[in-house]
Amino acid sequence: MTGKELIFAAMRHEKTPAVPWVPFAGVHAGALKGYNGIEVLKDADKLYESLMEVHKLYQPHGMPITFDLQIEAEILGCDLLWQEYAPPSVKSHPYSEGQKLPCPCAIPNENAGRLPVVLEAMRRVKASVGETTALYGLICGPFTLASHLRGSNIFLDMIKDPEYVKRLVEFCAQVCIKISGMYIDAGMDVIAAVDPLVSQVSPAHIEEMLHDGFKAIFDYIRSKKVFSSFFVCGNATNQIEVMCRTNPDSISVDENVNMPKAKQITDKYNITIGGNIPLTTTMLLGTQQDNMKTVIDLLDSLDHHNLIISPGCDMPYDTPIENTVAAAQAVLNTDACRKIIENYEAPKSDIKIELPDYKSNKKVLIELFTLDSDVCAACTYMLRNVQDVYEEIKDIAEYVEYKYINRENIARTGAMGISNLPTMCLDGEIKWVSIIPDRETFISEIKKYAAKK
Amino acid sequence: MDKQTIYKSAADSILTANEELAVKVFSDAKSAGFDLLDLLGSGYGAGIQELGELFGKGRVFLPEVMMAAETMRKASELIEAELPPGTAAKKATIVIGTVAGDVHDIGKGIICALLKSNGYMVHDIGREVPAQVFIDKAEEVNADYIGSSALLTTTMPEQKKIEELLTKQGLRSKYKTLVGGAPVTKRWAQKIGADAYCENASELLAQLNEWQEVR
């Protein structure tokens, strides 16, 4: 079963042989190739290149193309504050001073704003990996889009003038439907309406003013024979039930939501739930072990039917690659990761490790410390990187892989002072942690070490 | 009308965001010769505090809180207009803003309304505020507290910069600092050396009140 088939089965609410994994690498995708957030959100080539890296390193069953809730707002006249290491933010709201409704003629076409960049990346990613990987097109949900247009006054409008809110949300839902259609035509398998602000309003207000807009979007997506998802951020515990009533195929929640409790509700409606690896404390600031443990604890706390594991929301730009690799491994190879965590937590080994005598070795020694290159994509990639250039460097260097699966290698990893995997060392010095150098950099570095011999 | 009934009506006017009732309570209290400053803190203020707690528990939501804050603003204006300048004794002064690179400020607005209604002098320095501006403003108004909000993981380092600049300028012990925002955690506050992490408006108010008790 391919990753795409696995996601489709989960979206159809069938029993799946494994839990699907969908890493939300938005601007973080750029970090994998050294591009900043502005570059990946404005340049289709860089976005495509970055997404291919996400696919290679994180082995997703499904993946979003962009995670940028400002695309629609920018088209409709909001000014954006651009940042290098985060998605842009909306900084001006065209209707903040008065209750206006946009002209229906403002509903965008394929050439509007940054849509050409997104659509091109979608088509190219579809052609490259779309056969086996489910691709997610993310749209800004109609309520958050309405708030982009009206500003925070929309919260007062909900009490003072609900009819206005309904009409504004209805317009925004039409924008969502139009853009969903474009994304579906570009090959997206799942359309996710991402609406973080839904968690900030009462279930009664959602039913009264937002329900119809969301339902129209999900009904449209279903009519086009693709799947839908409703993403929310913040503590949406109170809103899960009314979100279910808008009838999406799946819902995705962040770390503020208690997944087991939320799943009881989504199960009642036979809706798949996704989430909710904590973004900051675990993915950004945690260790590789923290990420494995969090995912395993999550898996152990939930029934695996109607379940997708993903980060709570868009991953921070600087999320360490090794942390996402660890999260991926914990979903894809859960039992192996249980063993790894046991190894991490086990008392220090009494095995005595003799480190190589790097100085007297005539060749540069490349040591690859991996989780296990047979199952971990980032590890495989690092190993292959060495193998691919080996013919060129074999006279001056040799390599060895230590998989973190036996006691001796675990002890050796500890003796080298390595805390994240995969890591590559040259003559006993840690050179690359998770990052796989390009061919030229790698060879040049090997030659530098060889020259010191 | 007795004092207890008036004060309860004041709190109710805020809880239900009923501006008409808030104005009537003010008129009745004024006619009856009540201490209007006390009415602001213990009547209307009790309402906004309860609402803040309900918001923290997920029992009420942003629209209701924002409406209540508007009603509170109206009540404050009415009462302050009756007081001679300088009458309003303030518990303490806080400078609050959203850090540089961050344009989000809905949560900050709620905090400001809650603190003002609880007798704090609040200097809201807006959004996209560089670290040094927090300090300059705190020095200018002789503040007691500095509160910063960061809604993005990429803008959180600006909170760290506030701590670093305070230390560098020999001002660290002069102020207590509070940090908040969606991605911010207690662990982050500890890591950068902030005095407190507050998850929401009512936590922040409780923290300030706790500090005020021992001042």
Side-chain angles (χ1 to χ4, degrees):
Chain A
M1 193 177 235
T2 64
K4 181 172 166 175
E5 288 164 344
L6 193 62
I7 295 277
F8 281 19
M11 291 286 182
R12 284 194 293 259
H13 318 297
E14 296 165 1
K15 295 279 181 196
T16 53
V19 178
W21 157 239
V22 183
F24 297 145
V27 288
H28 169 73
L32 303 182
K33 294 301 289 182
Y35 299 130
N36 66 35
I38 301 171
E39 289 173 313
V40 288
L41 293 176
K42 288 189 174 183
D43 183 323
D45 289 338
K46 289 174 179 165
L47 177 56
Y48 169 77
E49 195 185 334
S50 302
L51 292 168
M52 287 300 95
E53 201 69 6
V54 169
H55 190 266
K56 194 184 283 182
L57 286 180
Y58 298 156
Q59 296 172 281
H61 296 126
M63 59 188 281
I65 303 300
T66 56
F67 206 125
D68 175 358
L69 309 189
Q70 286 64 237
I71 292 171
E72 298 86 346
E74 186 182 26
I75 293 168
L76 294 172
C78 298
D79 293 321
L80 303 189
L81 174 69
W82 281 92
Q83 295 166 98
E84 288 193 330
Y85 303 110
S89 308
V90 168
K91 67 172 179 181
S92 75
H93 313 283
Y95 306 141
S96 61
E97 300 304 322
Q99 289 184 338
K100 292 179 190 162
L101 287 168
C103 164
C105 60
I107 293 177
N109 63 32
E110 290 198 359
N111 297 316
R114 287 180 286 123
L115 285 174
V117 171
V118 178
L119 291 168
E120 185 188 334
M122 285 178 168
R123 292 185 191 109
R124 289 171 65 185
V125 174
K126 181 73 176 180
S128 298
V129 299
E131 277 297 307
T132 54
T133 307
L135 301 180
Y136 282 55
L138 270 54
I139 56 171
C140 178
F143 181 51
T144 293
L145 181 55
S147 81
H148 284 332
L149 297 175
R150 175 74 171 127
S152 56
N153 280 330
I154 197 161
F155 294 109
L156 298 175
D157 295 335
M158 294 187 97
I159 292 172
K160 292 177 176 174
D161 192 352
E163 268 312 304
Y164 170 70
V165 176
K166 280 173 86 165
R167 282 186 291 151
L168 187 57
V169 168
E170 189 184 326
F171 168 82
C172 293
Q174 288 306 311
V175 173
C176 294
I177 286 170
K178 183 74 187 290
I179 293 179
S180 297
M182 294 177 203
Y183 288 179
I184 292 165
D185 290 345
M188 296 302 98
D189 304 297
V190 180
I191 300 295
V194 187
D195 214 313
L197 287 187
V198 161
S199 64
Q200 299 303 313
V201 297
S202 68
H205 278 165
I206 294 171
E207 299 250 77
E208 182 188 353
M209 286 168 260
L210 313 183
H211 172 93
D212 291 354
F214 278 103
K215 186 160 187 312
I217 295 166
F218 298 135
D219 286 349
Y220 170 78
I221 294 166
R222 191 165 289 112
S223 77
K224 300 291 278 185
K225 313 283 185 215
V226 299
F227 298 105
S228 61
S229 193
F230 190 159
F231 286 15
V232 67
C233 303
N235 189 351
T237 308
N238 291 304
Q239 290 84 359
I240 299 289
E241 184 124 20
V242 288
M243 286 169 64
C244 287
R245 287 192 206 129
T246 63
N247 206 18
D249 296 310
S250 66
I251 282 175
S252 190
V253 296
D254 80 9
E255 64 214 65
N256 290 293
V257 172
N258 179 311
M259 276 281 272
K261 282 188 183 167
K263 194 167 185 301
Q264 284 177 5
I265 300 168
T266 51
D267 280 348
K268 199 168 75 179
Y269 289 86
N270 197 24
I271 287 172
T272 300
I273 190 165
N276 67 349
I277 309 170
L279 292 179
T280 313
T281 51
T282 304
M283 297 203 79
L284 180 65
L285 301 173
T287 63
Q288 206 162 36
Q289 300 95 298
D290 293 335
N291 279 270
M292 284 184 189
K293 192 163 186 324
T294 298
V295 171
I296 288 173
D297 288 347
L298 197 54
L299 286 167
D300 288 349
S301 69
L302 296 161
D303 169 29
H304 291 186
H305 177 230
N306 271 344
L307 177 66
I308 291 173
I309 295 294
S310 64
C313 196
D314 186 17
M315 291 157 56
Y317 180 88
D318 282 325
T319 302
I321 299 168
E322 60 270 23
N323 284 0
T324 319
V325 167
Q329 285 310 300
V331 186
L332 302 171
N333 299 290
T334 311
D335 288 336
C337 280
R338 280 187 210 282
K339 190 73 192 157
I340 287 171
I341 289 172
E342 276 174 30
N343 291 334
Y344 277 130
E345 291 173 347
K348 292 267 182 214
S349 167
D350 54 0
I351 297 177
K352 285 212 170 20
I353 294 298
E354 195 173 323
L355 297 177
D357 181 0
Y358 300 107
K359 277 189 181 167
S360 61
N361 198 345
K362 287 181 183 165
K363 291 183 179 180
V364 178
L365 183 58
I366 305 163
E367 292 173 291
L368 294 143
F369 293 85
T370 66
L371 288 167
D372 181 352
S373 61
D374 291 335
V375 294
C376 158
C379 307
T380 312
Y381 188 24
M382 193 177 259
L383 176 64
R384 279 200 197 138
N385 195 59
V386 177
Q387 290 170 333
D388 287 349
V389 298
Y390 190 61
E391 272 302 306
E392 212 171 312
I393 58 170
K394 66 182 181 189
D395 293 336
I396 56 169
E398 57 191 0
Y399 72 90
V400 60
E401 181 191 7
Y402 300 110
K403 298 178 181 180
Y404 202 79
I405 53 176
N406 66 50
R407 291 180 68 225
E408 190 183 335
N409 288 352
I410 292 162
R412 182 177 294 277
T413 305
M416 293 289 287
I418 290 167
S419 53
N420 291 303
L421 302 171
T423 286
M424 196 187 323
C425 299
L426 299 184
D427 275 351
E429 291 176 18
I430 295 174
K431 289 303 294 182
W432 293 284
V433 180
S434 298
I435 295 168
I436 289 100
D438 61 57
R439 183 186 175 92
E440 287 71 30
T441 308
F442 179 60
I443 293 174
S444 152
E445 205 62 28
I446 295 288
K447 285 180 178 171
K448 271 190 215 165
Y449 275 76
K452 292 185 212 164
K453 295 281 180 188
Chain B
M1 206 180 288
D2 63 58
K3 185 178 170 181
Q4 197 181 354
T5 309
I6 290 270
Y7 275 46
K8 186 175 180 313
S9 296
D12 286 347
S13 73
I14 302 300
L15 280 165
T16 56
N18 184 339
E19 196 171 305
E20 207 176 309
L21 179 60
V23 173
K24 184 180 179 304
V25 167
F26 164 76
S27 300
D28 291 347
K30 191 178 160 192
S31 305
F34 289 154
D35 178 346
L36 295 179
L37 205 54
D38 188 53
L39 175 70
L40 183 63
S42 305
Y44 298 110
I48 201 90
Q49 186 158 351
E50 187 178 341
L51 200 77
E53 283 163 14
L54 291 171
F55 182 65
K57 289 175 187 167
R59 304 264 298 277
V60 297
F61 299 88
L62 209 43
E64 293 82 2
V65 174
M66 289 178 74
M67 280 298 289
E70 277 213 336
T71 310
M72 188 71 204
R73 202 172 300 126
K74 178 72 182 173
S76 301
E77 280 170 12
L78 289 171
I79 290 175
E80 281 171 13
E82 294 293 319
L83 303 173
T87 310
K90 295 293 175 187
K91 283 181 183 170
T93 301
I94 181 168
V95 167
I96 192 163
T98 306
V99 298
D102 217 319
V103 292
H104 305 82
D105 65 354
I106 296 172
K108 176 173 65 60
I110 293 167
I111 288 170
C112 291
L114 184 64
L115 295 185
K116 280 180 190 170
S117 64
N118 277 273
Y120 288 92
M121 172 66 82
V122 179
H123 290 274
D124 180 356
I125 52 175
R127 53 189 197 171
E128 288 189 75
V129 182
Q132 186 60 48
V133 175
F134 280 86
I135 298 169
D136 292 345
K137 188 69 184 177
E139 286 286 280
E140 179 196 327
V141 301
N142 196 23
D144 304 285
Y145 306 111
I146 297 174
S148 63
S149 170
L151 272 293
L152 301 167
T153 53
T154 47
T155 58
M156 285 162 60
E158 200 70 14
Q159 295 180 320
K160 187 174 173 220
K161 205 167 157 189
I162 294 173
E163 302 297 329
E164 289 168 349
L165 287 173
L166 282 171
T167 304
K168 200 173 164 188
Q169 292 163 26
L171 298 168
R172 186 60 192 86
S173 58
K174 190 172 173 185
Y175 303 104
K176 283 205 181 288
T177 56
L178 306 101
V179 292
V184 177
T185 60
K186 192 174 180 181
R187 186 169 149 187
W188 171 250
Q190 286 166 345
K191 189 175 171 181
I192 65 173
D195 292 301
Y197 157 71
C198 304
E199 192 180 340
N200 53 45
S202 51
E203 262 193 25
L204 188 141
L205 176 64
Q207 179 63 72
L208 290 190
N209 286 342
E210 188 185 315
W211 283 338
Q212 283 301 111
E213 278 176 23
V214 296
R215 280 185 82 191

